[in-house]
Amino acid sequence: GCQSCHHKPVVTDHLDELSRHVEDYKNHFSRFITASGSSDRLSLLQLEAVAIGGRIEDLITDLILMALPSLEQRTLRATAKIDRSWQVLSVTLLLTLLSAFLVATVLSRRITRPVELLAAAAQKISAGELGAQVAVREPGEFGRLLQAFNSMSTTLQANKERQQRLLERVITAQEEERRRVAHDLHDELGQDLAGLAVNVEALQKLWVSPDDAIRGRLEQLRTQISETTDQTYDLILGLRPSVLDDLGLVPAIRAHAERVLSKENVSFVFDASRLRERLSPAIETTVFRVLQEALSNVLRHSEASRVKMVLAARDGVFEGQLVDDGRGFDPGTIQHDGSDGQGLGILGMQERAALCGGAVEIRSQPAGGTTVLIRIPLQV
């Protein structure tokens, strides 16, 4: 601003001088036309015209040079304005893109978040947590979808609880019926067989006939009665051993394991040193049935030569373990829903333990033996 004010008077003087020289040039040109008849006069006017033209050229050059700084400043200012405009435009474009990205992210999150919640809840349901719920904070269609999912999971949980109560009543009724049948067999059929055995023995003593065939038949009858009596008592013990109610789990399961394994010449190791108190009747019955089924599987499938059973209670949880050295199997090939008939026993074990809040785990591999683990919380 100060530099342009400094140059303004100078430029005006130059313009005035330029105007005078142009006027002189016009006068010389008129005189040049008037004196066109005299060669000397023409030469002089030509020289004066050349001098005036040179002066005009110098003045124009000076004006251009004086104007250059102002042009440069204006150019620089224009360039600066363009640069600032580009900067503003770049920042505006960047902010626009960033805003668009944030909006897209928020919208995408609002769309994917309910789907993620549904997927997580569905995984919980597939893992057995049928009552899994999803927090409903979304309006519109997504909100209705989440509410429908929660309603479905609530229904599933209610159905599961109803089935568990029904199963519990069925198992309780089954145990009561087992107890009743075992009692009837012991008191009636057992007594009758014992009486029959006594009568046959007395008949053998009173028989004086030398007929060896009849004596042989009597001995055969006595043997059959003895075998039938043993089978009857095995059936009674399998239904509901009275020792389970009278003395508890440890004597009952040890006696049962020794009896069934000894018949197949399978060695048996038993350790209940860390289970020093009796459990509740419900847990004792559940553990006895689970281990009874596990022993039955050992005899039917494993071809084992050695079985070890460990019972313990620690940190408020009962833990039972049954290990055999049999041929093992791949647990992944067993349908635990019982649809193929092979996993029905395992399913029954798991359901019994679940009724007491526990779980049964099967670990096995081909040619690697099998381990059955049962865990049940003692505060049921």
Side-chain angles (χ1 to χ4, degrees), residues 296-350:
S296 178
N297 290 335
V298 169
L299 296 176
R300 287 199 302 263
H301 307 297
S302 74
E303 300 178 1
S305 61
R306 184 176 184 273
V307 171
K308 180 179 180 180
M309 183 183 296
V310 180
L311 306 180
R314 54 187 175 186
D315 299 329
V317 177
F318 168 82
E319 296 181 354
Q321 186 180 75
L322 183 70
V323 183
D324 69 66
D325 62 351
R327 61 182 182 178
F329 64 97
D330 181 6
T333 62
I334 301 298
Q335 298 294 327
H336 297 290
D337 58 359
S339 59
D340 61 352
Q342 297 180 353
L344 193 58
I346 296 177
L347 178 62
M349 295 161 62
Q350 293 173 335

Side-chain angles (χ1 to χ4, degrees), residues 249-250 274-275 277 279 283-284 286-288 290-291 310-321 358-359 373-379:
L249 173 65
V250 173
R274 289 178 292 176
L275 184 63
E277 297 181 359
L279 309 177
I283 294 180
E284 285 191 337
T286 296
V287 174
F288 181 85
V290 170
L291 294 176
V310 180
L311 306 180
R314 54 187 175 186
D315 299 329
V317 177
F318 168 82
E319 296 181 354
Q321 186 180 75
L373 298 172
I374 176 173
R375 295 184 179 88
I376 297 177
L378 297 180
Q379 289 75 24

Side-chain angles (χ1 to χ4, degrees), residues 27-267:
N27 293 332
H28 278 77
F29 185 73
S30 298
R31 289 157 58 192
F32 176 76
I33 294 174
T34 305
S36 58
S38 174
S39 59
D40 294 335
R41 183 62 175 168
L42 288 173
S43 298
L44 181 60
L45 291 173
Q46 184 179 5
L47 291 175
E48 293 179 355
V50 171
I52 294 173
R55 183 57 182 160
I56 291 174
E57 183 179 354
D58 293 338
L59 290 172
I60 293 174
T61 301
D62 292 340
L63 287 171
I64 292 174
L65 291 176
M66 284 187 292
L68 281 177
S70 178
L71 291 173
E72 290 178 355
Q73 291 178 356
R74 287 197 294 269
T75 303
L76 291 175
R77 287 196 295 270
T79 303
K81 288 182 179 179
I82 293 174
D83 291 340
R84 286 196 298 272
S85 298
W86 273 110
Q87 291 175 357
V88 172
L89 181 61
S90 299
V91 173
T92 303
L93 180 60
L94 180 61
L95 292 176
T96 302
L97 292 176
L98 182 60
S99 300
F101 175 76
L102 292 176
V103 170
T105 301
V106 171
L107 291 177
S108 175
R109 189 61 176 167
R110 290 192 63 183
I111 294 174
T112 59
R113 180 59 178 168
V115 177
E116 292 174 354
L117 292 175
L118 283 176
Q123 289 179 349
K124 291 181 180 179
I125 289 179
S126 65
E129 189 179 342
L130 299 184
Q133 296 283 303
V134 180
V136 180
R137 298 188 181 93
E138 300 294 331
E141 295 295 332
F142 280 122
R144 286 191 290 271
L145 176 61
L146 297 179
Q147 290 175 352
F149 181 88
N150 288 340
S151 177
M152 178 196 70
S153 64
T154 301
T155 302
L156 288 175
Q157 180 65 25
N159 290 338
K160 178 184 178 181
E161 293 175 355
R162 185 163 52 250
Q163 290 176 353
Q164 286 181 333
R165 290 193 296 270
L166 178 60
L167 180 60
E168 185 176 0
R169 288 197 295 268
V170 169
I171 291 178
T172 300
Q174 185 184 58
E175 289 297 329
E176 291 298 327
E177 186 65 14
R178 283 172 175 266
R179 184 182 289 107
R180 186 190 65 79
V181 172
H183 184 270
D184 291 344
L185 287 175
H186 180 274
D187 290 350
E188 297 179 10
L189 183 58
Q191 296 291 340
D192 292 342
L193 288 173
L196 185 58
V198 171
N199 289 331
V200 170
E201 185 178 1
L203 183 60
Q204 284 180 312
K205 292 178 179 179
L206 294 176
W207 188 261
V208 295
S209 173
D211 192 343
D212 293 336
I214 295 177
R215 288 184 176 277
R217 294 297 297 273
L218 288 174
E219 184 63 29
Q220 183 180 4
L221 178 60
R222 182 180 176 182
T223 300
Q224 289 178 343
I225 293 174
S226 178
E227 292 177 349
T228 303
T229 301
D230 291 340
Q231 293 174 356
T232 300
Y233 278 103
D234 285 342
L235 179 61
I236 292 172
L237 292 175
L239 286 172
R240 180 76 185 190
S242 58
V243 67
L244 178 62
D245 296 319
D246 298 337
L247 301 179
L249 173 65
V250 173
I253 194 61
R254 176 165 49 191
H256 175 75
E258 290 174 347
R259 179 170 54 84
V260 298
L261 293 176
S262 62
K263 293 180 180 180
E264 302 296 332
N265 296 320
V266 178
S267 65

Side-chain angles (χ1 to χ4, degrees), residues 8-20:
K8 187 173 181 180
V10 180
V11 172
T12 303
D13 293 342
H14 280 71
L15 288 175
D16 292 341
E17 186 177 357
L18 178 60
S19 178
R20 288 195 303 272

